Amino acid sequence: MRDALLACLDRKRDMVIDLQRELTAIPALGPDNGGPGEREKADRLKTLLAGMGFPEAREINAPDPRVPCGHRPNLAVVIPGADTSRTFWIISHLDIVPPGDPALWRSDPYALVVDGDLVYGRGVEDNQQAVVSSILLGKALLEEGVTPPINYGMLFVADEETGSKYGLDYVAAHHDGLFSKDDLFLVPDFGLPTSEMVEVAEKSMLWYKITVNGRQCHASTPEAGVNSLAAASLFVLKIPKLHERFPAKNPLFQPANSTFEPTKKEANVDNINTIPGRDVFYVDCRVLPEYSLDDVVAAIQGFGREVEAACGVTIDYAVVQQEQAAPTTPEDTPIVRKVMAGIRAVYPGAKPRPMGIGGGTVAAYLRRRGYPAVVWATLEHNAHQPNERSSIAKTIGDAKVMAHVLVGE
C-alpha cells in the first residue's frame, strides 16, 4: 500500500506545476488586504477536485459582509478509510498576502514561472505548497485504489493571513462533528528547508503600548515642565527586569527563555529646544506558556508606578495584541511520532525534533479545543517576500511524509 502510493507520488511533477499555475492565477486576498476573499479560488479548487474524482467538498462558510459573496469559504474533503471514526487532517489555507512592490518582482506575481525544481509566484509556498501536497496524496489514493486505515481529510481554510476569525477559528467552533478527539492534525504552514522543525508549542504574545504623560515646556526652563522622555527612558531601562520575574527556560524554544523587548518609539516634539510632555513606546513580549500574560501586564504596570513616583508623570497603557499560548502538543502523541518517523523515512539525514516558536500559528485554534496538532512542512522559508518560490521536489516529498503518517508501514 505505502510503496504504491510513494511510487505514484514520484510521477506527480507535472501535476504540481499544473495545480500551482491554476491557484497562483487567482489572487485570493481577504478584505483586510484589499481583496474580495477566497470565493473564486475555492470554486476553482472544487472544480479541479471534482474533475479528479474526489468526494464532494463540504462547505463551512463564515459570514462576512465585507466580501461580495457575503461569506468566507472553508472546504472539507474526506476520502473514507477502513475506520471511518478517525481522520488524518491536512489543514492548509487559501488566502494569500499582497505581492508588495511590483518593481521587486522579476515576473508577474500571479503568473507561475517554472525554473528547474522551483516555481515562482505569490502564494506558491504560503500556502499552496501545502494545498498541493495534500491533493497529491489524495489523488494517489484514488489512482491506486487504496482504502487508507483511517479517513483522509483535506481542509482548505480562509483568512489565515489576517487572523483566522473566518477560517480555522470559525471551523473549529462550528464544525458540527467534523473533528473527533482521536483525529490526527497536521498544519503544513511553517518549517525549515531541512525539514527538521516539528512545531508543537508556541509562546504567548503581548504587544503593549505605554504612554508617558508629563508637561511640555521650553528646554531652558525645565523646572516648568515634566520631561516625559526622561521618564520613558527610565521605564525602558526597567523592562529587562522582567527576566528576573519570569526566569523559566524551555529547551523546546530558541531562545529558551521568555523575551521582553522595547521596540517601537513614536515621535514626540519636532524641535530640540522643547521638553516633551508625551512619549509613547511599545514592548514586544514572547512569554513561555507556563506564565500568564496578565501577570506580565501586572509586573509592567508595577514598574510604571515606580516611574510615576520618581518622575511625577502619569502613565497610560493599551494592549495592541494579547494572545495567551495554547496548550503544547505532547511529544509522545501519535501525530508527533508519526510525522517525525515520516520525515526520517523521506528526507535522509534529517534529524527532526519537536520545537516551539515565538509566534502564533493557526494550530492554536485546535490545541485550545483539545486537539493535538503539529505544524510542519519543508519550506524554502520565503513567505511574503517578492519572487516567492516553492520546491517541486519538496512538495512531493512532503506528500510522501503525509503518506507515511496516513498508512504507516
Side-chain angles (χ1 to χ4, degrees):
M1 179 189 299
R2 184 196 64 187
D3 290 345
L5 291 175
L6 299 181
C8 184
L9 290 170
D10 277 329
R11 301 190 293 269
K12 295 303 182 188
R13 173 185 165 89
D14 289 345
M15 184 176 175
V16 173
I17 295 170
D18 292 343
L19 284 171
Q20 284 277 25
R21 181 173 287 112
E22 291 272 2
L23 297 172
T24 302
I26 303 172
L29 295 166
D32 291 319
N33 283 323
E38 303 85 357
R39 184 70 262 176
E40 183 183 357
K41 194 170 185 178
D43 286 341
R44 184 59 186 149
L45 185 58
K46 287 175 64 178
T47 299
L48 291 169
L49 293 173
M52 296 179 199
F54 281 87
E56 183 178 359
R58 171 184 172 183
E59 291 203 20
I60 304 171
N61 294 326
D64 187 351
R66 301 173 300 164
V67 296
C69 67
H71 64 259
R72 310 290 289 279
N74 301 281
L75 308 179
V77 180
V78 178
I79 296 175
D83 177 1
T84 58
S85 68
R86 300 177 63 213
T87 303
F88 171 40
W89 289 103
I90 306 294
I91 302 177
S92 54
H93 64 86
L94 298 174
D95 59 322
I96 61 171
V97 296
D101 185 352
L104 299 178
W105 285 79
R106 294 191 294 268
S107 59
D108 181 348
Y110 299 124
L112 192 76
V113 172
V114 183
D115 183 6
D117 178 55
L118 299 176
V119 293
Y120 291 83
R122 177 51 89 223
V124 294
E125 177 175 272
D126 186 20
N127 189 226
Q128 289 166 199
Q129 178 173 321
V131 171
V132 173
S133 290
S134 66
I135 295 173
L136 293 185
L137 176 53
K139 181 60 172 171
L141 290 168
L142 297 175
E143 285 187 7
E144 298 299 320
V146 170
T147 299
I150 61 175
N151 299 334
Y152 176 61
M154 301 178 295
L155 182 60
F156 309 102
V157 298
D159 192 33
E160 188 276 343
E161 297 292 359
T162 52
S164 292
K165 176 181 177 182
Y166 305 96
L168 187 54
D169 189 16
Y170 184 88
V171 173
H174 300 84
H175 60 71
D176 295 329
L178 189 66
F179 302 152
S180 82
K181 297 297 184 182
D182 293 324
D183 287 351
L184 304 174
F185 295 90
L186 175 61
V187 183
D189 196 26
F190 194 83
L192 299 176
T194 61
S195 197
E196 295 182 338
M197 173 181 281
V198 179
E199 190 267 296
V200 298
E202 302 161 8
K203 291 180 179 178
S204 300
M205 181 170 66
L206 172 68
W207 290 352
Y208 209 39
K209 178 182 179 181
I210 300 173
T211 302
V212 180
N213 305 294
R215 186 167 63 253
Q216 183 175 313
C217 68
H218 196 284
S220 66
T221 58
E223 69 281 357
V226 178
N227 194 322
S228 62
L229 175 58
S233 300
L234 177 60
F235 203 152
V236 167
L237 291 175
K238 290 180 179 288
I239 295 299
K241 294 182 179 180
L242 290 169
H243 292 285
E244 300 171 11
R245 301 281 187 93
F246 306 96
K249 294 186 177 182
N250 186 331
L252 277 177
F253 296 95
Q254 182 59 42
N257 54 284
S258 300
T259 59
F260 309 97
E261 291 297 324
T263 54
K264 180 179 176 180
K265 168 74 170 66
E266 293 185 6
N268 47 32
V269 292
D270 294 326
N271 49 313
I272 296 173
N273 61 340
T274 295
I275 286 176
R278 181 176 181 271
D279 269 85
V280 180
F281 70 97
Y282 298 77
V283 182
D284 181 307
C285 306
R286 308 299 171 113
V287 184
L288 291 177
E290 55 261 45
Y291 293 124
S292 166
L293 290 180
D294 290 340
D295 292 340
V296 174
V297 166
I300 292 174
Q301 292 188 4
F303 294 152
R305 287 190 291 273
E306 295 173 4
V307 173
E308 288 175 326
C311 301
V313 296
T314 62
I315 301 174
D316 299 318
Y317 304 92
V319 172
V320 179
Q321 187 166 344
Q322 182 171 340
E323 194 77 27
Q324 188 70 41
T328 296
T329 296
E331 297 179 35
D332 60 352
T333 54
I335 185 60
V336 177
R337 291 188 282 103
K338 288 175 177 288
V339 168
M340 292 204 298
I343 294 168
R344 295 187 191 101
V346 173
Y347 293 105
K351 297 178 181 178
R353 61 193 185 279
M355 297 180 67
I357 62 172
T361 73
V362 295
Y365 300 109
L366 297 168
R367 293 170 180 155
R368 289 194 183 102
R369 290 173 170 84
Y371 303 116
V374 160
V375 179
W376 163 86
T378 313
L379 301 178
E380 296 299 299
H381 215 48
N382 68 135
H384 298 205
Q385 297 179 20
N387 305 301
E388 181 180 347
R389 65 190 184 277
S390 171
S391 162
I392 298 170
K394 290 174 181 176
T395 302
I396 294 171
D398 284 6
K400 290 181 176 181
V401 173
M402 297 170 188
H404 278 269
V405 174
L406 179 62
V407 303
E409 295 298 329

